[in-house]
Amino acid sequence: MADLSRRSLLRGMGGIGVTGALAAVTGCGVPAAYVDAADREAPDRSARDRSLVFANWPLYIDVDDRDPQRRPTLATFQKRTGISVQYTEEINDNDEFFGKISPALMNHQSTGRDLVVISDWMCARYVRLGWVETMDRAAQPNVARYLDPQLRSPHFDPGRTHSVPWQSGITGIAYNRRKLGREIRHTSDLWKDDLRGRVTLLSGLDEAFAMLLQGNGVDITRWTADDFHRMIDQVRGLVRKGQIRRFTGNDYIKDLDSGDVLAAQAYSGDVIQLKADNPDIEFVVPEEGAELWAESMMIPNLAAHKRNAERLIDYYYQPEVAAELTAWVNYVCPVPAAREVLASSKDKERAELAEDPLIFPDAEMRKRLAIARDITAKERTEFAKEWNGIVGL
């Protein structure tokens, strides 16, 4: 259940609170708290101070079965490099963490952290504000070689010069095939009469909107305000009709498991765990498409150990290390070459992970996956207000 617990923490408020937080530091045109490129780096102490501070989400790294305080891949990095890592599990919500470190960043001060892991929709704000450093990709040959081509150039960070995926995932549809008695292949299948009052959608705007747009045939890499408003009108009508039972955080898991809900907008990582306990649960990437997302590593401005952080990032892009991490967390692996490592394992369960399309999407599934254009700062206030009015927040 570790994976489920982390997902619950991960989505938290799902982008609702960010509107107010960003309003305090952004405006029209150039953000008020924007930091020029020349002011982002501090003198790097990596050579003489072989350490770094790494902030991540809870339960998002491999743990030794016999010693919960030991993280094997991290321990190996420290042994190989002599770099000590202060690893903190302090990120419980994107908005909350943004509020925690934004005062330092907007005032050109160090956050005290060298590496953080943030959901890509929130990474976009950090990049837009100039709050993260540009990485030296020449010093990261594994990232350059092994990063999943589909994750290499998101709208908010062309070329991934400021961010590198830690793990990835898919927002699609989970459903109980046995109880429903039919397949779900399209997003529009959720709106059929036999699912009235038995469907849930995610409550967070950033988590929900992309798949719904795709269900209407929209290219989410370049969606427009008109596309968004049409989707909002559609969802508003479905709520009035009683088609949508409720909007959820990660608690759709218990609804699906109990049978109170037969279909739910869901995260691929959750369903791997759900299927282990309930084989009737299926996960589908709709024919029209689904969103491929990531949580990414970034180096905040004025980090004291930038080079050490870059070395840690590159270490996790070695296929053997990526395979170890993936075998524990069960998300979409951003290092496709890790698949061969797992496939060659003598351990049957590890070898089976290599064939799981929710960890290593096959070519057919990948055709239906896309990374959404981010909601801009200018759009966010209006769009969040409309969405939250429907969701009831």
Side-chain angles (χ1 to χ4, degrees):
M1 294 299 292
D3 186 40
L4 300 188
S5 299
R6 203 205 68 81
R7 291 307 300 177
S8 181
L9 290 167
L10 170 64
R11 293 300 166 177
M13 294 163 60
I16 298 157
V18 74
T19 304
L22 285 170
V25 296
T26 62
C28 297
V30 179
Y34 180 80
V35 177
D36 291 326
D39 298 324
R40 296 175 193 171
E41 292 193 15
D44 190 26
R45 302 206 302 262
S46 293
R48 64 180 184 275
D49 181 5
R50 300 182 68 74
S51 67
L52 70 100
V53 180
F54 181 9
N56 205 345
W57 300 81
L59 307 172
Y60 211 14
I61 196 170
D62 52 312
V63 173
D64 191 309
D65 290 338
R66 292 170 300 225
D67 180 4
Q69 300 305 311
R70 184 176 182 273
R71 304 170 178 95
T73 56
L74 205 55
T76 299
F77 171 80
Q78 294 179 104
K79 183 177 180 180
R80 288 182 185 176
T81 64
I83 298 170
S84 64
V85 181
Q86 181 183 335
Y87 185 83
T88 64
E89 296 186 333
E90 62 171 317
I91 306 175
N92 294 308
D93 176 86
N94 285 293
D95 299 338
E96 177 187 62
F97 191 67
F98 180 93
K100 188 175 185 177
I101 68 173
S102 60
L105 290 165
M106 73 174 69
N107 287 296
H108 298 211
Q109 298 170 355
S110 170
T111 66
R113 300 159 183 86
D114 301 296
L115 191 62
V116 298
V117 177
I118 305 292
S119 298
D120 268 2
W121 63 265
M122 179 62 91
C123 288
R125 285 112 181 112
Y126 288 81
V127 172
R128 186 181 299 132
L129 288 163
W131 285 2
V132 289
E133 299 188 23
T134 301
M135 295 186 200
D136 180 6
R137 200 63 80 229
Q140 297 176 312
N142 292 316
V143 175
R145 180 178 180 183
Y146 293 117
L147 173 57
D148 187 337
Q150 207 162 4
L151 295 170
R152 282 182 181 266
S153 196
H155 183 270
F156 73 91
D157 188 18
R160 283 282 184 188
T161 57
H162 301 89
S163 62
V164 176
W166 172 252
Q167 293 291 282
S168 184
I170 302 165
T171 301
I173 298 169
Y175 71 105
N176 190 316
R177 184 172 180 175
R178 182 180 63 81
K179 289 187 176 181
L180 181 58
R182 64 174 173 88
E183 285 188 329
I184 288 180
R185 297 179 59 191
H186 304 273
T187 301
S188 60
D189 289 340
L190 296 174
W191 319 142
K192 292 184 178 180
D193 288 343
D194 60 348
L195 277 173
R196 183 173 296 185
R198 309 298 294 278
V199 176
T200 62
L201 297 180
L202 295 170
S203 59
L205 171 59
D206 294 273
E207 287 74 24
F209 84 100
M211 191 194 82
L212 299 175
L213 289 176
Q214 287 168 297
N216 291 338
V218 175
D219 178 355
I220 60 169
T221 66
R222 52 184 183 181
W223 59 272
T224 67
D226 287 341
D227 295 327
F228 182 86
H229 291 307
R230 278 192 291 271
M231 181 271 290
I232 282 288
D233 288 342
Q234 176 191 33
V235 174
R236 187 179 289 115
L238 289 165
V239 169
R240 288 172 179 164
K241 179 183 174 183
Q243 190 72 24
I244 299 169
R245 184 184 185 95
R246 67 189 185 101
F247 294 85
T248 75
N250 200 211
D251 48 340
Y252 67 81
I253 294 166
K254 63 182 181 182
D255 290 342
L256 269 176
D257 200 35
S258 68
D260 290 341
V261 162
L262 298 184
Q265 191 175 27
Y267 307 117
S268 55
D270 287 346
V271 178
I272 291 175
Q273 295 287 336
L274 270 174
K275 284 175 66 68
D277 298 325
N278 186 346
D280 294 329
I281 302 296
E282 298 285 345
F283 183 86
V284 62
V285 173
E287 295 287 339
E288 301 81 16
E291 183 183 19
L292 179 69
W293 47 261
E295 276 105 32
S296 294
M297 297 174 278
M298 298 191 300
I299 300 173
N301 286 358
L302 305 181
H305 309 93
K306 180 175 186 283
R307 180 70 188 101
N308 290 344
E310 289 172 334
R311 289 187 68 179
L312 180 67
I313 293 168
D314 200 56
Y315 163 78
Y316 274 99
Y317 268 71
Q318 296 177 47
E320 295 80 8
V321 179
E324 288 296 318
L325 182 60
T326 295
W328 200 86
V329 299
N330 289 177
Y331 284 87
V332 173
C333 181
V335 183
R339 180 179 182 276
E340 297 306 316
V341 176
L342 290 170
S344 63
S345 174
K346 294 180 181 179
D347 183 280
K348 181 180 178 182
E349 288 187 5
R350 288 171 68 90
E352 287 175 349
L353 294 176
E355 305 305 319
D356 192 330
L358 299 188
I359 296 176
F360 297 100
D362 56 29
E364 183 59 34
M365 181 180 287
R366 282 184 177 275
K367 291 178 183 178
R368 304 196 301 277
L369 298 176
I371 299 175
R373 171 181 80 75
D374 185 55
I375 300 172
T376 68
K378 184 177 180 180
E379 294 169 328
R380 181 166 292 279
T381 300
E382 175 191 352
F383 291 177
K385 182 177 180 180
E386 288 194 64
W387 178 260
N388 293 344
I390 296 172
V391 174
L393 297 165

